[in-house]
Amino acid sequence: MSDELSPAHFVSLFRSVAPYVNLFRGKTFVIAFGGKAISGPLARTLAYDANLLAALGVRLVLVHGARPQIEEELSEKGIKSVTHGGYRVTDAATLDCVIDAVGSVYLEIDALLSQGLPDTPMANSTIRVIAGNFITAKPLGVLDGVDMQYAGSVRKIDADGIRAQLSIGNIVILSCLGASPTGEIFNLAMEEVAEATASAIAADKLIFLTDSQGVTDIDGKLLDELTSDMAERLVTIGDWLSPDLKRYLPCAVRASRTGVGRVHLIGFNEDGTLLRELFSREGVGTIITRESLEILRDARPDDISGLVALIEPLEENGSLVRRSRELLEREITRFSVVEHDGLIVGCAALYPYGDDQAELACVAVHPHYRRWGYGEQLLKRIEVRARAVGIKRLFVLTTVTSHWFKERGFAEQSVDQLPAEKRLVYNLQRRSKVFAKPL
């Protein structure tokens, strides 16, 4: 173990990924990447990470492109590269170059995924890689007066065939080539193949590896979350986006709207971005969903485990009063929670007392999400719930967050101003400060 990672830190990190391992097992991911990702220095570690996902029970479809390899083939044969409307004009000579380039990229990917060298993440790997005629293509035809010849688009994806291979543990590899029912081969856009495949098999995730860290704003700041509507607006105004993002973002929007659970856009120029995006709360790229990832709602009985994981660290450091799992189960209807991408990241509870008063209790937000304003949202929701049942005064007991409540309209009170029932159970050892707010 390296000096930088202490035993305790290693154990903590290892345990932190367990929820994702359980969440992803049996799920279907489509991972799409262009030829630049394969020709780059991190192709080997990308193969390691793909194998790791498969070993953890993720059903994988890999979709690859070959743009730089095609350009190299054309250059070697002295053939001019011609594009129109974002597609390559593909005559017979160009198609030969496309077939050669795509074939070489496939063989390289196959070799990378088939390694089983000792002392590598793929040692003792028995994962099989399958390719086949899963894509039926059709010609693009004539665009704006330009005959695209053997440039095509996806007519149909053999979803049943792909699912059958995934169900027996195989990794499916798809390229940017497809055959028509008449037996002609067409050059397809990799990103469109990935979109069509993810939609056809109802993938849980579609992941694009791009030449950018993710989608950025005009100042270059990463946008870590977008709804499909927000992403669509960026398609029309985002002149600053990288070449990959300009091609991939429209496909990401369409896939999100046709039922793909999550679409991720992450960079391929840093080692481990795939794992960091999938197995950490904060991620490293951009995630696109049809609706917002965050849900503010009343707690349910099946949230108990998530609540326990959230509040236990705060109970251990004394910030919150300890609550048993049984108590949480009995009082679950008093809680409101913030759910972010399926995980409970914030909570607060409302405990009514007599005289139109109620306690705001167990306010907790995961450290990684405190800058997102979830505490403020929870407070507003509790206030709405309190007003709905006729509460006129909301009070809170706190040991470490006095200023946070002061900034939100709470004024310090004496213990004597608590409801009589609450005064009887006030913990003199904790010496919590009392704050109250009229509603």
Side-chain angles (χ1 to χ4, degrees):
M1 189 179 302
S2 67
D3 295 335
E4 291 80 8
L5 193 63
S6 69
H9 192 196
F10 170 79
V11 171
S12 176
L13 285 175
F14 201 76
R15 287 173 176 163
S16 71
V17 304
Y20 300 100
V21 173
N22 294 327
L23 181 65
F24 295 156
R25 186 179 295 114
K27 297 296 194 294
T28 302
F29 295 0
V30 175
I31 303 177
F33 47 90
K36 286 182 289 187
I38 293 303
S39 62
L42 299 177
R44 186 178 302 274
T45 54
L46 173 60
Y48 290 163
D49 295 345
N51 262 282
L52 176 58
L53 290 175
L56 292 174
V58 176
R59 300 181 175 193
L60 281 185
V61 179
L62 305 182
V63 183
H64 74 86
R67 281 189 176 94
Q69 291 84 355
I70 292 170
E71 291 293 339
E72 186 176 345
E73 286 281 342
L74 292 172
S75 177
E76 288 179 358
K77 295 180 180 179
I79 300 173
K80 184 180 180 181
S81 177
V82 180
T83 61
H84 177 74
Y87 296 95
R88 186 183 301 280
V89 180
T90 309
D91 59 17
T94 300
L95 181 63
D96 287 340
C97 294
V98 171
I99 293 171
D100 288 345
V102 171
S104 67
V105 171
Y106 167 77
L107 290 174
E108 187 170 353
I109 295 171
D110 186 41
L112 288 169
L113 291 172
S114 301
Q115 299 173 85
L117 298 174
D119 301 321
T120 73
M122 289 159 59
N124 303 314
S125 173
T126 57
I127 295 169
R128 294 183 298 273
V129 177
I130 299 294
N133 57 338
F134 299 112
I135 306 170
T136 302
K138 62 182 179 181
L140 281 175
V142 178
L143 298 181
D144 305 318
V146 177
D147 186 356
M148 304 303 291
Q149 300 183 62
Y150 292 101
S153 61
V154 177
R155 180 192 297 267
K156 182 182 177 182
I157 298 292
D158 181 6
D160 290 339
I162 292 173
R163 290 194 195 101
Q165 292 300 326
L166 297 176
S167 69
I168 57 176
N170 293 336
I171 295 178
V172 174
I173 299 183
L174 304 178
S175 74
C176 53
L177 289 175
S180 71
T182 59
E184 294 177 293
I185 297 175
F186 288 94
N187 177 27
L188 312 175
M190 176 277 293
E191 56 274 15
E192 293 181 3
V193 174
E195 173 202 339
T197 302
S199 298
I201 65 175
D204 298 283
K205 289 184 183 293
L206 168 59
I207 304 167
F208 285 108
L209 301 180
T210 80
D211 56 3
S212 172
Q213 62 177 329
V215 182
T216 61
D217 63 16
I218 195 169
D219 297 318
K221 181 182 177 182
L222 179 67
L223 302 172
D224 48 15
E225 287 183 19
L226 293 170
T227 63
S228 53
D229 288 345
M230 294 164 63
E232 185 176 45
R233 286 195 291 271
L234 276 178
V235 170
T236 60
I237 65 172
D239 293 338
W240 63 86
L241 298 176
S242 72
D244 279 359
L245 289 176
K246 287 178 179 178
R247 286 193 291 264
Y248 300 167
L249 203 51
C251 297
V253 171
R254 290 192 296 266
S256 177
R257 288 176 171 166
T258 55
V260 176
R262 303 282 187 268
V263 184
H264 300 254
L265 298 107
I266 59 177
F268 59 73
N269 289 320
E270 291 185 26
D271 188 19
T273 52
L274 182 60
L275 299 183
R276 290 162 58 200
E277 173 72 5
L278 294 175
F279 292 96
S280 67
R281 287 179 181 267
E282 59 272 16
V284 294
T286 301
I287 183 170
I288 296 174
T289 57
R290 179 183 291 184
E291 305 296 341
S292 175
L293 280 176
E294 63 185 46
I295 302 172
L296 183 59
R297 58 173 174 79
D298 294 342
R300 304 186 295 253
D302 57 2
D303 295 324
I304 297 294
S305 295
L307 281 171
V308 170
L310 174 66
I311 66 178
E312 264 188 349
L314 298 173
E315 292 174 342
E316 290 172 0
N317 68 21
S319 299
L320 292 179
V321 175
R322 288 190 179 275
R323 289 171 170 79
S324 67
R325 191 182 183 99
E326 292 75 18
L327 182 63
L328 284 173
E329 290 174 351
R330 289 199 304 269
E331 299 180 345
I332 190 64
T333 57
R334 300 187 184 279
F335 280 79
S336 294
V337 297
V338 176
E339 179 184 324
H340 184 91
D341 200 15
L343 298 174
I344 302 299
V345 300
C347 69
L350 179 69
Y351 290 85
Y353 287 84
D355 301 324
D356 300 333
Q357 298 187 73
E359 180 184 7
L360 167 63
C362 200
V363 180
V365 177
H366 191 281
H368 290 164
Y369 295 89
R370 287 174 185 166
R371 63 183 176 86
W372 294 21
Y374 288 159
E376 189 90 37
Q377 293 179 39
L378 284 163
L379 173 59
K380 289 180 180 178
R381 184 176 182 86
I382 291 295
E383 290 177 354
V384 169
R385 290 183 65 175
R387 290 189 184 98
V389 294
I391 300 300
K392 299 293 192 296
R393 179 174 177 266
L394 193 64
F395 67 88
V396 62
L397 277 65
T398 180
T399 56
V400 295
T401 55
S402 300
H403 283 278
W404 191 88
F405 288 106
K406 284 182 180 180
E407 292 166 3
R408 285 152 184 85
F410 285 78
E412 188 166 0
Q413 309 277 295
S414 70
V415 175
D416 293 338
Q417 292 174 283
L418 290 172
E421 185 180 350
K422 185 65 180 179
R423 287 201 305 270
L424 290 173
V425 295
Y426 179 80
N427 189 330
L428 293 172
Q429 290 182 323
R430 281 180 61 84
R431 299 185 64 185
S432 299
K433 292 187 176 182
V434 180
F435 290 85
K437 177 181 182 179
L439 297 180

